[in-house]
Amino acid sequence: MKKVVLALSGGVDSAIAAHLLQQQGYQIYGLNLLTWGEDNQRKQVQEIADDLNFLVEFMDIRQAFREQVVQPFIHAYQDGLTPSPCVFCNRQIKWSTILQKADQIGADYVATGHYARLKIAQDGKIQLWKAVDLAKDQSYMLTFLTQDMLKRTVLPLGEFNKPEIRKIASNLGLAVSERPDSQDLCFLACTDYRDFLKEHAEQPALPGPIYHKDGRLLGQHQGLAFYTIGQRKGLPSSTEALYVIEKRKADNSLIVGFLNQLGSNFFLVEQVNWISGQYPLQPIKVEVKIRYKANPAEAMVEPQADGLLKVTADKLLRDITPGQIAAFYQGEQLLGGGVIVEGIANRTAGAFLQPLDTPE
RNA sequence: UGGGGCAUGGUGCAAUGGCAGCACACCGGACUUUGAAUCCGUUGGUCUUGGUUCGACUCCAAGUGCCCCGG
């Protein structure tokens, strides 16, 4: 019998993932990871395992999570970046932990409740594809997974729509079917990340000036970490809405401006991961997503020296944010991605007076 | 210590005698396994005192405060 280690959060998605895996003939070893805070999910997780009749182990990985996800998250903010903790966590914590457990118990496979699909290419390589349910697609969060990880991974939810999953849950009579979606590993669950930083950062936030792009001093900010590129909330009132254009670390100043002063076509990406494991040698045409819920934008990706990539979008991109993940797609397939290093300004006045992020 | 102008929500502006509106901000909600954006909704105001009028943000007088020009 095929054995699989399934990461269980206590939510409906991973519960139904368990059910679907069982239908496919897998024997499930459930693994619940305690990453942060208190063990509140334990009862729910145990209940699901009992209902579906498989074993579940509860593992406390709080220390590793703190060191490998939370501390880098805090440091990134202190460094003027806007980090993407989930993308790193999936690779460095979630997958590495469940694979380790799989090795330990002699399971060939691991599984999670992510909405994304895996396909096997002609050459035997594993491809990562968007979920059928594009509204729930989470492939972006898996940008940093490797062939070694994906070879042993099963994603049972990728072919389903979310409403179907809920329906299956309610048909099975699972209590979890009525609960709201869980936040899974998210240590920020229900917390404003600013409050989190205030509580957990070693160094207090450093207030500084807010300048308009044209040079006027508009007010004070409470610390650059509390803002991100493209942010509108929390800025001084003005004749029209203001957005964060730049976090200038050199003088601890926040540069803001109007909608038509925001955006660029170019940016650089580092720490690049290609799902196939193979770097392209030539420029390639992709659709790039610069945030989890961004609309894909047509772009060219050009390899640079030092493993950097230069991304050139056909249209102006709003909110190119250092620290966020740029994910490269071709159609439904996720090719890979990396961390945005910096945007290279070349805005065109008025470009965003039209509707934003025009879907194609 | 001369002359002129202004005073409307937290901010910037509309309403010129007839139910005080708009933008931005704030607050709440939706959306979301990062952070944002976006969408929906709510709150909140005529500097003070007196006068004219059926009725005053609007007209008149005084007070108070701010700005400009003379200096």
Side-chain angles (χ1 to χ4, degrees):
Chain A
M1 199 177 208
K2 297 181 287 185
K3 286 171 82 173
V4 61
V5 172
L6 170 65
L8 274 180
S9 67
V12 67
D13 288 330
S14 51
I16 298 312
H19 171 70
L20 294 169
L21 286 168
Q22 286 177 324
Q23 284 194 321
Q24 293 168 32
Y26 287 93
Q27 180 191 346
I28 292 174
Y29 183 92
L31 186 61
N32 176 257
L33 302 177
L34 176 59
T35 55
W36 189 258
E38 299 308 315
D39 200 352
N40 302 322
Q41 297 292 305
R42 188 167 186 136
K43 243 174 136 172
Q44 287 184 35
V45 172
Q46 188 64 59
E47 185 183 78
I48 291 163
D50 290 345
D51 284 351
L52 296 175
N53 193 29
F54 60 85
L55 283 178
V56 64
E57 175 182 339
F58 295 87
M59 191 183 279
D60 183 348
I61 57 165
R62 284 181 289 190
Q63 191 185 339
F65 186 81
R66 172 185 284 275
E67 287 167 5
Q68 292 178 50
V69 177
V70 177
Q71 295 296 353
F73 172 84
I74 292 171
H75 293 149
Y77 266 114
Q78 289 174 340
D79 222 23
L81 304 172
T82 303
S84 263
C86 294
V87 176
F88 287 92
C89 173
N90 280 331
R91 171 172 171 146
Q92 293 182 315
I93 294 286
K94 199 164 189 176
W95 256 261
S96 69
T97 305
I98 57 180
L99 281 166
Q100 210 170 18
K101 178 57 65 180
D103 290 341
Q104 227 177 72
I105 66 162
D108 287 332
Y109 300 98
V110 298
T112 71
H114 282 96
Y115 285 84
R117 288 178 292 165
L118 296 175
K119 296 189 179 188
I120 302 178
Q122 304 282 336
D123 59 2
K125 289 251 173 86
I126 309 295
Q127 298 179 342
L128 184 52
W129 287 58
K130 290 181 185 176
V132 167
D133 187 343
L134 290 178
K136 287 298 293 183
D137 172 52
Q138 294 172 320
S139 57
Y140 178 92
M141 295 300 184
L142 308 181
T143 300
F144 276 2
L145 299 188
T146 63
Q147 280 292 308
D148 284 343
M149 296 171 169
L150 295 173
K151 262 192 310 209
R152 298 175 62 187
T153 299
V154 185
L155 300 176
L157 302 188
E159 304 286 345
F160 291 85
N161 290 308
K162 179 77 181 196
E164 296 175 319
I165 296 300
R166 283 213 176 269
K167 191 168 178 209
I168 293 171
S170 88
N171 287 347
L172 289 172
L174 296 182
V176 73
S177 64
E178 300 307 323
R179 298 203 185 99
D181 289 0
S182 83
Q183 295 300 299
D184 198 8
L185 296 191
C186 189
F187 57 102
L188 291 170
C190 300
T191 311
D192 189 299
Y193 83 96
R194 297 170 186 85
D195 294 335
F196 184 89
L197 287 180
K198 283 176 196 160
E199 193 176 337
H200 296 282
E202 313 86 76
Q203 297 157 5
L206 186 62
I210 299 176
Y211 290 110
H212 194 280
K213 180 96 173 162
D214 66 19
R216 281 177 296 143
L217 178 65
L218 295 183
Q220 292 280 309
H221 67 76
Q222 292 309 304
L224 288 185
F226 299 148
Y227 303 85
T228 192
I229 306 299
Q231 179 171 331
R232 175 173 171 175
K233 256 189 138 37
L235 300 182
S237 67
S238 173
T239 52
E240 58 183 288
L242 294 170
Y243 299 82
V244 174
I245 291 181
E246 187 186 350
K247 295 160 77 167
R248 194 173 288 168
K249 239 186 112 190
D251 61 351
N252 192 39
S253 69
L254 192 67
I255 311 301
V256 303
F258 302 130
L259 198 55
N260 63 6
Q261 297 174 304
L262 194 56
S264 167
N265 286 74
F266 306 105
F267 60 95
L268 294 175
V269 169
E270 66 177 2
Q271 298 183 63
V272 177
N273 180 60
W274 294 98
I275 301 294
S276 69
Q278 288 175 328
Y279 268 67
L281 300 174
Q282 300 296 321
I284 56 172
K285 197 159 170 43
V286 301
E287 296 102 52
V288 64
K289 275 174 75 166
I290 58 171
R291 305 180 301 272
Y292 175 46
K293 284 295 174 188
N295 288 311
E298 306 263 322
M300 287 299 289
V301 172
E302 300 169 67
Q304 308 280 295
D306 311 326
L308 290 178
L309 295 178
K310 182 182 180 188
V311 180
T312 308
D314 292 359
K315 294 180 187 167
L316 214 56
L317 292 176
R318 239 194 81 169
D319 309 339
I320 295 169
T321 306
Q324 290 285 288
I325 301 298
F328 310 129
Y329 291 83
Q330 278 179 347
E332 308 277 285
Q333 187 184 356
L334 175 58
L335 300 180
V339 179
I340 296 171
V341 184
E342 58 179 324
I344 308 165
N346 89 319
R347 61 180 179 74
T348 303
F352 291 111
L353 297 179
Q354 297 303 311
L356 303 176
D357 287 340
T358 312
E360 294 298 334

